[in-house]
Amino acid sequence: MEAGTSDSPVFKVVLLGEGAVGKSSILLRYIENKFNNKHLSTTQASFATRKLTVNGKTVELNIWDTAGQEKYHSLGPIYYRGSQGAMLIYDITDTRSFERIKNWVRELQEVLKGTATLLVVGNKVDLDATRQIQRETAEEYAKSVGALYAECSAKENIDIDALFETITKAMMAKASEVSTLNRGASLRRSTSRRTIQVSDDTDTEAAPKKKCC
Amino acid sequence: MSAAASIRKRNSPLVSYDDDTLAMLNSVEFPSSSSSSTSTTPRRRNPQKSRNSVDSNATATESTIDSHVHTPTPVHRAKKKIFAAKIARLNEFLDMEESELCLRTADLRSFARSEGGLITDQIRAKIWPALANATAAGDMDGLEVESITESSCSDSDFETARSTMSSSEDCDTEDTGPTIDELKRHPEWNQVEMDVHRTLARFPPGTSEDERVSLQTDLIPLIVRVLSENCKFRYYQGFHDICLTLILVLGTESAFRVARILSHRTVFKRYLTKSLEESAMADLQYMFVLLFKHNKKLELYLREAELGTLFALSWPLTWFSHVLDDYQQVVMCFDVFLASDPLMPIYVAAAMLQEREVEIFNTEQDMPALHHLLSNVPADINMTTVLAVALDLFQQYPPSQLRHTYQREYDAECEASRYRHAPLPPANTMTRYSINKWITVGAVSAAAFYLIWSSQYLEAMR
């Protein structure tokens, strides 16, 4: 769980969404392959890392799980600052949670200005019988804001790994695209030294990634 | 009420703890009292010294615990005797009238803050309401009072009537509060319901399914009713943890009265009415000011890692009930907080970092790594020690000083350190602004120079 010290590139991913949509459950399933019925609501961000290999390249994900409830919304910037990816998670049986991610999308677009890859995630597909948001509706919305779309179930372990692969591939693609534009420019605005390290590491990588500011 | 009462019975050491358990309780608590109940202990007093002897302190503490668990010493037996005497004295309070308890506030507070706190839930059920009643807004100093009075206006008449209640009154629970249907229409009902349903892990071991469901069913309207009393209250995740602890110890009716007092008169009023940045996050800054006074090396290590305060956000918001696994540890914290200054959770937060100093130094000086380490509190944390250290810090660095003198010293230090290590401006700032400026300045001066030179040249030519 400790942040690794290897040279693999590091991407920061933040999980955002309304309270009780399953952010922590998705993370727990992904990191430990567990589902906890006794899970408590999240009142402070938790952090986990995991390495994965995509297209033959190993990368490390630094994943931040946040508190989703409204009162914590204003702390958002502290979490998503400097992240390369954001998962906007909603509960397919809860219309309000879907509306809520639209606020997040607007805010991220305003603040991160397209530097981060957005993935809209419909969780709880195991409850398809009580679905309120149709897949097409959500997909259309995601497309309209330039975000990716996926559905999953943390409880039944449906497509959880795929979520992280999808967002990682997109982040890698974006990183190499940005780095081609910015090659040679020295970027030092990241908030964590770990991420600064990343920029240095990736300078020598075949497909380097950079964060544009 | 009945479910809570039966849980209370089961958790009450008076009922279920035998002599050996008590002895063990005693021995485990021993080292902390020796290090902190006397306020002159140099180890806790002197940051310089504690810095130099981190490892030896930790080993010493561990070995002390071990030796006492295995071989009871005369000191240990004496401790046990004191402990038994304390229980006996606390039991006296059980027979007192509420009005009588009111006159004993100072005693109650010092018992609650003493090692091991109020010990049994039976005693807590009697004393917590008295401690809460004794919390007048006037007890809070400085910023607290301002923010409390400022936001207590413009509430419903109901609230105003409540806040002027005298401290010893018997809040009429049978008054016509909102009906359950009215409460269900409250905008926060859904979120509260979802959060309460996710509290399974917080119930003490041995709680039956029926008891738990019954308490959860009572808890939702209890919280929403508290929220509905002030139109400025905005529920935050974690307030339900506070109310859950209250309901587990006090039962539904008494828990409601105490929750109402806490939300109207104490720090929770700020948490419920203000943004978390303005309230809890701002308070948590004092955690670093305390460390700066008490353990400079630790504070610097965390500052250089740019740790921030997010990792500790739930600590003041839930009075540590969210992060501690053990029910007894949680209620012990509540004993202290109900009997202390509203900033006490911040002192406990600083003490928690102090207690985990060795682990911190063994962790990479990296924000995510440290955040991960500290946002989870190990199940075997010695909260007795942590609370004792916190009370000690409180004596040594009282809030009045903390908010002003120490905060100023700390700000000055941060400023000076920024100046000492002033890095070059970030590269992108250079490119964006400075270089442009330099080019402009360069061009202007070149032009000026040329003009002067040419005019002089022309002059010479003439």
Side-chain angles (χ1 to χ4, degrees):
Chain A
M1 290 291 272
E2 292 297 308
T5 49
S6 70
D7 290 338
S8 41
V10 181
F11 290 103
K12 179 177 170 187
V13 177
V14 59
L15 310 186
L16 300 167
E18 173 99 340
V21 297
K23 297 177 292 297
S24 305
S25 295
I26 286 176
L27 186 60
L28 186 68
R29 176 62 83 186
Y30 183 60
I31 300 290
E32 296 182 40
N33 196 18
K34 285 183 192 153
F35 183 80
N36 186 1
N37 260 325
K38 282 186 155 194
H39 174 68
L40 298 170
S41 47
T42 309
T43 58
Q44 61 195 14
S46 68
F47 166 78
T49 68
R50 190 173 147 174
K51 286 194 174 179
L52 78 164
T53 306
V54 179
N55 302 336
K57 270 181 71 78
T58 303
V59 299
E60 185 179 313
L61 294 185
N62 278 2
I63 310 162
W64 286 86
D65 173 29
T66 64
Q69 192 239 336
E70 200 185 333
K71 189 109 179 186
Y72 291 80
H73 187 108
S74 58
L75 301 174
I78 308 177
Y79 301 114
Y80 60 64
R81 196 170 54 176
S83 62
Q84 287 86 26
M87 286 196 193
L88 304 137
I89 303 166
Y90 73 95
D91 172 353
I92 61 160
T93 69
D94 178 6
T95 314
R96 222 175 67 143
S97 71
F98 183 66
E99 294 307 312
R100 181 77 189 283
I101 62 166
K102 296 181 177 174
N103 292 341
W104 279 117
V105 168
R106 267 195 294 277
E107 185 174 333
L108 290 175
Q109 284 177 332
E110 216 164 273
V111 179
L112 299 177
K113 311 227 184 282
T115 55
T117 301
L118 307 186
L119 171 62
V120 174
V121 178
N123 187 31
K124 308 195 187 178
V125 287
D126 52 296
L127 303 176
D128 201 53
T130 48
R131 182 191 273 274
Q132 297 284 319
I133 301 291
Q134 294 311 310
R135 187 179 178 119
E136 298 72 42
T137 317
E139 252 171 345
E140 217 166 273
Y141 165 73
K143 206 172 154 192
S144 74
V145 294
L148 301 163
Y149 183 76
E151 289 192 349
C152 69
S153 163
K155 189 173 184 187
E156 301 299 329
N157 197 10
I158 302 168
D159 290 339
I160 295 293
D161 286 358
L163 289 183
F164 289 88
E165 268 168 44
T166 306
I167 198 165
T168 306
K169 274 184 197 161
M171 288 189 299
M172 286 167 78
K174 187 164 236 164
S176 65
E177 177 192 312
V178 170
S179 84
T180 331
L181 293 172
N182 284 356
R183 196 177 294 279
S186 168
L187 296 173
R188 292 264 187 274
R189 277 196 74 186
S190 306
T191 49
S192 94
R193 55 198 76 221
R194 176 154 302 279
T195 324
I196 293 174
Q197 188 97 39
V198 175
S199 311
D200 292 344
D201 288 349
T202 49
D203 275 346
T204 57
E205 296 270 345
K209 60 180 195 57
K210 281 251 171 77
K211 190 171 71 74
C212 170
C213 35
Chain B
M1 180 69 182
S2 61
S6 69
I7 289 173
R8 189 156 67 235
K9 261 189 198 126
R10 211 178 25 255
N11 287 319
S12 159
L14 274 188
V15 178
S16 61
Y17 282 21
D18 55 21
D19 246 22
D20 288 335
T21 322
L22 280 176
M24 224 185 48
L25 246 174
N26 229 353
S27 60
V28 171
E29 285 160 4
F30 173 72
S32 70
S33 83
S34 71
S35 68
S36 52
S37 56
T38 51
S39 56
T40 48
T41 313
R43 193 178 66 175
R44 301 288 180 201
R45 293 279 141 185
N46 186 340
Q48 186 68 40
K49 189 166 179 194
S50 84
R51 202 153 73 222
N52 295 337
S53 54
V54 173
D55 290 315
S56 60
N57 272 349
T59 1
T61 313
E62 272 158 34
S63 63
T64 326
I65 293 171
D66 285 344
S67 69
H68 283 280
V69 170
H70 298 308
T71 48
T73 65
V75 181
H76 169 229
R77 279 193 292 274
K79 289 285 297 178
K80 191 177 159 186
K81 224 166 141 183
I82 294 169
F83 192 69
K86 179 175 161 186
I87 292 185
R89 284 202 58 193
L90 280 170
N91 280 331
E92 287 171 19
F93 291 118
L94 290 178
D95 304 324
M96 289 188 185
E97 295 292 316
E98 211 170 317
S99 54
E100 224 175 323
L101 282 178
C102 277
L103 305 171
R104 305 287 297 275
T105 306
D107 277 351
L108 297 180
R109 283 183 178 157
S110 76
F111 270 116
R113 284 195 295 242
S114 67
E115 181 184 327
L118 297 173
I119 304 173
T120 75
D121 279 8
Q122 200 188 356
I123 300 172
R124 290 187 173 101
K126 181 84 181 184
I127 295 184
W128 279 11
L131 287 172
N133 262 328
T135 324
D139 283 355
M140 308 186 188
D141 54 2
L143 303 169
E144 295 296 340
V145 174
E146 279 168 39
S147 56
I148 296 277
T149 43
E150 167 195 322
S151 53
S152 65
C153 53
S154 78
D155 296 325
S156 65
D157 294 339
F158 183 63
E159 204 280 300
T160 317
R162 286 288 149 239
S163 60
T164 53
M165 292 183 303
S166 77
S167 64
S168 60
E169 98 288 59
D170 184 19
C171 302
D172 40 320
T173 45
E174 53 282 304
D175 72 14
T176 47
T179 66
I180 196 85
D181 286 330
E182 283 168 340
L183 291 175
K184 278 185 177 169
R185 284 197 293 274
H186 192 276
E188 312 271 21
W189 177 278
N190 277 337
Q191 187 66 50
V192 172
E193 191 175 30
M194 281 193 286
D195 289 341
V196 168
H197 284 153
R198 292 187 290 172
T199 52
L200 278 74
R202 287 247 9 241
F203 285 83
T207 312
S208 76
E209 173 91 11
D210 288 350
E211 287 167 344
R212 180 179 56 73
V213 170
S214 152
L215 286 173
Q216 283 178 315
T217 311
D218 286 351
L219 184 55
I220 303 166
L222 183 153
I223 297 170
V224 177
R225 198 170 155 200
V226 171
L227 294 171
S228 68
E229 291 195 348
N230 182 331
C231 58
K232 284 186 178 172
F233 283 175
R234 293 287 169 274
Y235 170 73
Y236 65 86
Q237 268 175 344
F239 186 64
H240 70 300
D241 282 305
I242 296 286
C243 294
L244 174 60
T245 312
L246 296 178
I247 211 173
L248 283 171
V249 173
L250 302 172
T252 307
E253 283 159 34
S254 179
F256 171 69
R257 282 184 296 225
V258 172
R260 169 200 266 163
I261 293 172
L262 293 184
S263 66
H264 285 170
R265 292 194 214 154
T266 72
V267 70
F268 292 104
K269 178 150 203 165
R270 285 177 68 221
Y271 297 161
L272 288 167
T273 52
K274 306 230 162 205
S275 77
L276 296 179
E277 290 101 312
E278 286 171 291
S279 54
M281 293 283 276
D283 291 350
L284 277 167
Q285 283 298 334
Y286 292 123
M287 175 173 68
F288 292 121
V289 181
L290 283 168
L291 279 188
F292 166 70
K293 294 301 290 180
H294 189 69
N295 186 340
K296 283 200 165 59
K297 187 181 169 194
L298 185 56
E299 185 278 320
L300 187 64
Y301 192 82
L302 299 174
R303 174 153 38 107
E304 286 180 348
E306 295 174 27
L307 176 62
T309 52
L310 269 183
F311 73 94
L313 183 56
S314 83
W315 299 357
L317 289 179
T318 68
W319 276 2
F320 290 82
S321 61
H322 188 79
V323 79
L324 293 175
D325 286 337
D326 182 72
Y327 173 81
Q328 290 299 332
Q329 291 179 335
V330 171
V331 287
M332 220 160 67
C333 287
F334 273 56
D335 288 341
V336 173
F337 296 145
L338 283 166
S340 302
D341 183 276
L343 261 193
M344 185 51 82
I346 307 301
Y347 287 82
V348 176
M352 181 76 89
L353 297 182
Q354 174 64 49
E355 177 73 4
R356 302 187 68 192
E357 184 183 30
V358 177
E359 285 173 87
I360 292 173
F361 285 135
N362 286 337
T363 303
E364 198 186 344
Q365 202 179 17
D366 170 72
M367 187 271 188
L370 285 166
H371 178 101
H372 181 69
L373 172 80
L374 294 170
S375 57
N376 301 296
V377 172
D380 62 352
I381 185 98
N382 188 339
M383 277 314 284
T384 313
T385 308
V386 172
L387 290 173
V389 171
L391 288 162
D392 214 25
L393 289 173
F394 187 86
Q395 287 292 318
Q396 212 176 339
Y397 313 108
S400 52
Q401 299 256 52
L402 182 65
R403 289 197 174 100
H404 304 107
T405 322
Y406 301 144
Q407 176 73 57
R408 270 199 303 274
E409 285 175 30
Y410 180 66
D411 290 344
E413 159 61 24
C414 291
E415 190 58 36
S417 131
R418 258 198 299 276
Y419 185 71
R420 277 197 299 276
H421 306 115
L424 288 170
N428 52 341
T429 326
M430 288 284 276
T431 44
R432 266 194 207 164
Y433 305 108
S434 316
I435 291 185
N436 283 352
K437 265 186 216 156
W438 281 112
I439 290 172
T440 319
V441 169
V444 168
S445 47
F449 181 78
Y450 176 77
L451 282 175
I452 294 165
W453 177 82
S454 57
S455 64
Q456 279 173 348
Y457 180 78
L458 288 175
E459 196 94 359
M461 287 290 283
R462 207 179 289 156

